[in-house]
């Protein structure tokens, strides 16, 4: 491990990692100050910088494969406390670095064609650079406080990109909703940071790992190596509070409401958000703080992830928007990852994070390819190119996109020989082992929800493939629907290849032989997560047989229900606007979460604000107005009194003085005889008065 304070002495790996961060940031700056006429050139420059960042990331990964690099320097000092910041490059960080940069590079390439002609073309690519740099900051930061800074920058970047078409009311509202909901989760993040600081007086992850390895739990107290202690409940609160930040970013229950609406942004942005950046940040944060989590916090995370996995899968079943199906799918898959973290499957959860990044990026960009093709087919202005009720039979028109969608969709389902099969089953295996260790039926809810989500995932993915690519085209008359450019097809093929299991494991049926998962070490924790005492450890084969059986059952059910010859397909059109029963409504309305928040929080808040506005308008404003009117009236009275009495008295004195002066001036005539006469008269008066 390397720790130095002089930047000039940093090792080459750290310098390369710093360059990886600086390249997309430089792209943001250059594009922002460039002229509009150079916007296409700037988009290619941005793609080039991301290619360079990807290559450097691979170099960093090769060096960090078996060694940890930690470099830090003083950030600022407050009183006697010194705050540091730096880079922590271990295997998870290096893997995440490659994933973020490579997918960002593909998204940049895809966007060159997809966003052609857009009014905000230059602004879009500038914000892509900022978004990518912010995520890289989270990945490389060695400090929880620095992570929080970049965490907020990711939130800002997502707001700017989701609201790219801000002139559309839906896009503006979606961006605002995403921003506000994430701030709610960040309240928990700040509370967790406060507790960690109170106990350890540091945010440095390496120091926290060391300090947590030396803590003691005794007599209901959480005691650090330095002797400071807190009630044990604060250990649980700290872990859950930090996890609340992940709940917001990774769209977990109960804050998953923002992610489906975020589909109002450009489709490449959706791919980047759902695959490698914003939502992945929450799972990555849990991985970073894994050693800070006790058994209670981990259990909370496991149940939250399992519930979200099921809720997201159910919500995806009845959606008509091609991107919303994938959005709810992301919510479900992130639930899988966090469920894995909660049961102690740290390696399997990270493995699924990486495999999911590629096949979900492939699905979103394939959806974008379909949308782009339909837009270019001279459809009527009111044609919704994202509504699957306007699709059907597209496999003949866009064969490359069809192949990419099917391959990535099979990976999402977890079909054997595909990447999702390897990582998903690894998580399910550990959930069963974890439930057996607890020897309580209550904890079997976790694997039950996990396996149930497998079944439902197979149904909604098969439904989408059948409705979009098979049967006859249901949209309006078009001149022709054609496959997109070679640039878009190339990106889709690369992501499709990465969805195949052999890219991740020599044996595509066994995750333990994965070149990636087998090298991810579970961090040592001060807490026993209860897996070693399991009375029965299920085999990988048994779990794979169960999950594959459920998957095939879902595929068969979906085919029987949604096949082109069936009644559902024939009736599936724009006229099919409303769900037919309560269960369909529950799915379509995302468990009525928006309505719940609207009823329980937003409407009462609006009533409170309306009441406060009424008080302000009818009472406070009137009192202010009356006071103002009284002040004006009083000022008029004072002015009248001033004119009538004060000024009148002064004017009277002036008048009398003038009259006396006039009278006496006639006496003062400059004649000696007049003065003598006046003196004699005055003397006579004085004598008369005396005598």
């Amino acid at each position: 491990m390397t720790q130095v304070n002089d930047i000039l002495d940093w090792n080459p790996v750290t310098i390369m990692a710093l360059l990886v961060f600086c390249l997309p940031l430089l792209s943001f700056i250059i594009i922002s100050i460039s002229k509009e006429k150079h916007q296409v050139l700037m988009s290619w420059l941005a793609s080039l910088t991301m290619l360079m960042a990807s290559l450097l990331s691979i170099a960093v990964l090769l060096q960090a494969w078996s060694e940890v690099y930690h470099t830090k320097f003083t950030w600022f000092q407050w009183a006697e406390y010194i705050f540091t910041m730096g880079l922590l490059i271990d295997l998870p960080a290096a893997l995440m670095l490659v994933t973020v940069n490579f997918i960002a590079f593909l998204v940049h390439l895809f966007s060159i064609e997809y966003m052609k002609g857009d009014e905000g073309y230059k602004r879009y690519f500038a914000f892509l650079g900022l978004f990518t740099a912010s995520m890289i900051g989270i990945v490389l930061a060695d400090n929880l406080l620095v992570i929080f800074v970049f965490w907020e920058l990711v939130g800002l970047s997502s707001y700017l990109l989701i609201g790219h078409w801000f002139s559309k009311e839906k896009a503006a509202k979606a961006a605002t909703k995403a921003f506000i909901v994430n701030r709610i989760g960040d309240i928990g993040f700040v509370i967790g940071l406060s507790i960690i600081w109170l106990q350890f007086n540091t945010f440095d992850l390496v120091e926290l790992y060391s300090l947590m390895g030396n803590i003691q739990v005794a007599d209901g107290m959480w005691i650090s190596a330095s002797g400071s202690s807190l009630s044990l409940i604060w250990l649980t609160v700290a872990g859950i509070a930090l996890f609340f930040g992940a709940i917001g970013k990774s769209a977990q229950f109960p804050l998953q409401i923002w992610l489906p609406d975020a589909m109002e942004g450009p489709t490449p942005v959706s791919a980047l958000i759902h695959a490698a950046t914003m939502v992945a940040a929450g799972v990555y944060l849990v991985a970073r703080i894994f050693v800070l989590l006790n058994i209670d916090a981990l259990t909370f995370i496991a149940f939250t992830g399992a519930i979200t996995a099921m809720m997201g899968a159910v919500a995806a079943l009845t959606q008509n928007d091609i991107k919303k199906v994938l959005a709810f799918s992301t919510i479900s898959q992130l639930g899988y990852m966090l469920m894995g973290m909660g049961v102690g499957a740290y390696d399997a959860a990270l493995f699924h994070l990486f495999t999911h990044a590629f096949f979900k990026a492939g699905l979103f960009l394939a959806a974008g390819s379909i949308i782009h093709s339909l837009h270019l087919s001279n459809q009527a202005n009111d044609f919704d190119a994202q509504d699957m009720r306007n699709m059907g039979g597209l496999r003949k028109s866009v064969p490359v996109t069809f192949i990419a969608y099917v391959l990535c969709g099979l990976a999402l389902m977890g079909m054997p020989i595909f990447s999702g099969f390897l990582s998903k089953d690894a998580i399910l295996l550990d959930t069963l082992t974890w439930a057996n260790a607890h020897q309580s039926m209550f904890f079997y809810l976790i694997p039950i929800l996990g396996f149930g989500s497998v079944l439902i995932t197979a149904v909604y993915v098969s439904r989408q493939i059948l409705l979009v690519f098979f049967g006859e085209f249901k949209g309006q008359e078009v001149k022709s629907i054609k496959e997109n450019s070679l640039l878009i097809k190339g990106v889709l093929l690369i992501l499709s290849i990465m969805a195949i299991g052999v890219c991740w494991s020599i044996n595509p049926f066994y995750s333990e032989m994965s070149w990636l998962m087998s090298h991810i070490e579970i961090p040592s924790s001060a807490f026993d997560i209860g897996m070693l005492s399991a009375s029965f450890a299920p085999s990988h084969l048994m779990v794979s047989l169960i999950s594959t059986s459920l998957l095939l059952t879902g595929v068969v059910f979906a085919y029987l229900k949604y096949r082109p010859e069936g009644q559902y397909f024939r009736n599936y059109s724009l006229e099919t606007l409303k769900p037919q029963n309560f269960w369909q409504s529950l799915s379509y309305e995302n468990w009525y979460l928006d309505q719940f928040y609207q009823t329980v929080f937003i409407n009462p808040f609006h009533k409170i604000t309306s009441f406060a506005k009424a008080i302000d308008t009818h009472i406070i404003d009137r009192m202010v107005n009356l006071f103002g009117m009284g002040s004006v009236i009083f000022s008029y009275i004072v002015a009248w009194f001033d004119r009538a009495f004060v000024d009148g008295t002064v004017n009277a004195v002036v008048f009398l003085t003038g009259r006396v002066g006039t009278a006496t001036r006639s006496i003062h005539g400059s004649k000696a005889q007049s003065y003598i006469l006046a003196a004699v008269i005055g003397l006579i008066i004085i004598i008369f008065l005396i005598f």
Side-chain angles (χ1 to χ4, degrees), residues 572-584:
Y572 189 67
S573 63
L574 290 175
E575 286 70 33
T576 314
L577 295 177
K578 295 183 180 179
Q580 303 301 310
N581 54 53
F582 169 77
W583 298 108
Q584 289 184 11

Side-chain angles (χ1 to χ4, degrees), residues 64-118:
W65 193 257
S66 57
E67 188 173 352
V68 177
Y69 296 87
H70 180 213
T71 305
K72 64 179 181 179
F73 59 92
T74 299
W75 184 14
F76 65 92
Q77 185 170 355
W78 176 61
E80 71 274 18
Y81 302 111
I82 297 176
F83 291 80
T84 64
M85 67 185 305
L87 282 71
L88 176 59
I89 307 168
D90 52 10
L91 182 57
L95 288 167
M96 196 69 189
L97 200 63
V98 173
T99 303
V100 171
N101 283 285
F102 185 64
I103 291 180
F105 165 62
L106 295 179
V107 167
H108 275 71
L109 284 181
F110 189 95
S111 298
I112 292 173
E113 176 69 24
Y114 188 88
M115 298 298 291
K116 184 184 295 182
D118 188 85

Side-chain angles (χ1 to χ4, degrees), residues 30-43 118-124:
I30 292 175
I31 295 175
S32 297
I33 63 177
S34 66
K35 296 181 179 180
E36 290 289 340
K37 63 181 181 180
H38 298 142
Q39 59 182 7
V40 176
L41 175 62
M42 290 298 103
S43 66
D118 188 85
E119 292 182 359
Y121 190 87
K122 184 172 83 79
R123 169 168 48 88
Y124 169 83

Side-chain angles (χ1 to χ4, degrees), residues 532-555:
L532 299 179
S533 60
S535 58
F536 168 69
S539 67
H540 193 284
L541 178 61
M542 183 189 77
V543 170
S544 296
L545 288 175
I546 295 173
S547 66
T548 304
S549 299
L550 290 170
L551 186 155
L552 293 175
T553 301
V555 171

Side-chain angles (χ1 to χ4, degrees), residues 92 96 135 138 144 147 151 189 205 209 238-252 278-294 297-302 304-305 334-347 349-350 353 522-523 525:
M96 196 69 189
M135 184 62 196
I138 292 176
L144 283 176
I147 287 176
W151 188 270
F189 199 154
L205 286 171
Y209 295 163
I240 294 176
L242 290 171
F243 174 60
F244 257 91
I247 286 177
K249 275 287 187 291
S250 292
Q252 297 295 284
M278 187 169 180
V279 296
V283 180
Y284 185 76
L285 174 67
V286 175
R288 275 309 201 208
I289 63 169
F290 187 79
V291 300
L292 306 178
L293 305 172
N294 67 354
L298 288 169
T299 302
F300 180 86
I301 293 171
T304 301
L334 291 167
Y336 264 110
M337 299 171 204
L338 290 169
M339 176 176 66
M341 285 289 179
V343 301
Y346 175 92
D347 49 351
L350 282 180
L353 174 63
I522 300 177
S525 174

Side-chain angles (χ1 to χ4, degrees), residues 22 71 112 136 289 292 352 358 372 459 513 547 575 614 648 654:
C22 290
T71 305
I112 292 173
I136 294 172
I289 63 169
L292 306 178
H352 196 53
F358 288 91
H372 193 56
V459 174
M513 296 184 67
S547 66
E575 286 70 33
V654 171

Side-chain angles (χ1 to χ4, degrees), residues 174-234:
T176 302
K177 185 177 184 180
F179 190 82
I180 292 174
V181 172
N182 274 272
R183 300 295 75 71
I184 294 172
D186 291 348
I187 293 172
F189 199 154
V190 172
I191 293 172
L193 289 177
S194 302
I195 297 172
I196 294 297
W197 177 262
L198 184 65
Q199 179 71 319
F200 296 118
N201 291 332
T202 184
F203 292 123
D204 187 293
L205 286 171
V206 175
E207 291 183 16
L208 288 174
Y209 295 163
S210 176
L211 292 169
M212 284 299 293
N214 295 316
I215 68 163
Q216 294 181 359
V217 175
D219 299 325
M221 299 300 293
W222 172 28
I223 308 170
S224 70
S226 63
S228 62
S229 62
L230 292 172
S231 176
L232 186 57
I233 187 63
W234 289 110

